[in-house]
Amino acid sequence: DMKVTQMPRYLIKRMGENVLLECGQDMSHETMYWYRQDPGLGLQLIYISYDVDSNSEGDIPKGYRVSRKKREHFSLILDSAKTNQTSVYFCASSRDWGPYEQYFGPGTRLTVL
Amino acid sequence: GEKVEQHESTLSVREGDSAVINCTYTDTASSYFPWYKQEAGKSLHFVIDIRSNVDRKQSQRLIVLLDKKAKRFSLHITATQPEDSAIYFCAASKGNNRIFFGDGTQLVVKP
């Protein structure tokens, strides 16, 4: 069953707290992505990972970092979260040597107070 | 980098009519153009794509047209149904794993 999972689905944090968003996929896809979606702005790429420990910045990496120690897991970390990081975060995966369709997770709605 | 623009932010059609969503891109090297659908409160899922070696692709009620000269592509949804109501995102890629999304078009299909 081709699936991308995200945990947690909803999260409320205070400004300055650390945030960990987790993503998993069961398709052995080499490439994984983190996006954020804000109203009217479509999807903005934060980071792309081409495989374990092979990560590249996307368009808006400032304030974020990622970790990929296993092919099936990709984490997004916000060190000292800011209120402007309130958003919906989507993880996605795709086959390598693309481009191919991306499979999206259900999203995490993060609120930073 | 690539910039993808969706010309319609909202589109309203009557059930049974056709809907057309238009997108333009800036990078002539782009060669892959997928479309994604996002229903209210849900995630995105892939609906159809087209590669630059063809100028038309159809999958059931969905038709994608590509005009490389004008750097324009479009999604046509024929015989629209209420379940077609969603936000549709067009995107473009140069052939690597990086794709660039438009800002989305909200399609409303009225009964």
Side-chain angles (χ1 to χ4, degrees):
Chain A
D1 191 23
M2 299 192 290
K3 204 170 180 180
V4 178
T5 57
Q6 289 185 239
M7 291 292 287
R9 296 290 316 278
Y10 302 90
L11 187 60
I12 299 175
K13 286 285 192 178
R14 296 199 178 277
M15 192 168 60
E17 291 184 328
N18 297 332
V19 176
L20 173 64
L21 305 184
E22 308 222 60
C23 175
Q25 50 100 356
D26 62 2
M27 297 166 278
S28 298
H29 285 166
E30 286 157 309
T31 308
M32 296 186 74
Y33 312 78
W34 276 107
Y35 295 94
R36 66 178 278 177
Q37 184 179 34
D38 299 295
L41 290 182
L43 285 164
Q44 298 175 274
L45 180 67
I46 306 170
Y47 269 94
I48 182 171
S49 174
Y50 296 100
D51 210 331
V52 170
D53 285 330
S54 180
N55 308 316
S56 292
E57 294 180 347
D59 297 321
I60 53 162
K62 188 177 178 184
Y64 304 94
R65 60 184 175 93
V66 293
S67 174
R68 192 161 177 209
K69 298 300 181 185
K70 292 183 179 180
R71 180 170 285 185
E72 60 270 23
H73 289 131
F74 190 32
S75 301
L76 180 69
I77 301 121
L78 289 66
D79 294 314
S80 188
K82 300 171 182 52
T83 54
N84 62 7
Q85 292 178 308
T86 292
S87 187
V88 179
Y89 291 87
F90 287 104
C91 174
S93 72
S94 69
R95 289 193 288 168
D96 203 4
W97 307 115
Y100 295 104
E101 68 176 280
Q102 295 186 13
Y103 293 81
F104 283 82
T108 294
R109 184 173 293 275
L110 171 66
T111 302
V112 182
L113 302 175
Chain B
E2 172 69 279
K3 179 142 178 71
V4 178
E5 288 197 32
Q6 290 190 233
H7 295 219
E8 302 86 5
S9 57
T10 59
L11 180 62
S12 182
V13 299
R14 288 275 175 208
E15 183 178 353
D17 288 349
S18 291
V20 182
I21 302 171
N22 296 289
C23 290
T24 54
Y25 61 99
T26 57
D27 194 333
T28 52
S30 288
S31 60
Y32 174 69
F33 306 90
W35 289 84
Y36 288 81
K37 177 182 180 182
Q38 185 178 34
E39 294 168 48
K42 295 190 177 179
S43 186
L44 288 80
H45 69 267
F46 170 88
V47 290
I48 191 170
D49 60 11
I50 189 167
R51 296 181 190 265
S52 57
N53 57 339
V54 296
D55 54 19
R56 185 183 190 278
K57 183 174 180 179
Q58 181 166 1
S59 174
Q60 298 180 317
R61 295 187 295 107
L62 303 179
I63 301 169
V64 181
L65 302 178
L66 174 63
D67 181 344
K68 292 188 290 289
K69 210 169 185 179
K71 289 188 281 189
R72 183 172 57 213
F73 58 114
S74 57
L75 175 67
H76 299 242
I77 307 173
T78 62
T80 53
Q81 301 168 0
E83 54 263 37
D84 294 328
S85 294
I87 301 175
Y88 290 82
F89 292 93
C90 62
S93 172
K94 287 196 283 192
N96 53 21
N97 287 339
R98 179 74 199 272
I99 69 171
F100 296 85
F101 288 88
D103 289 342
T105 296
Q106 174 78 61
L107 173 65
V108 177
V109 179
K110 296 181 178 178

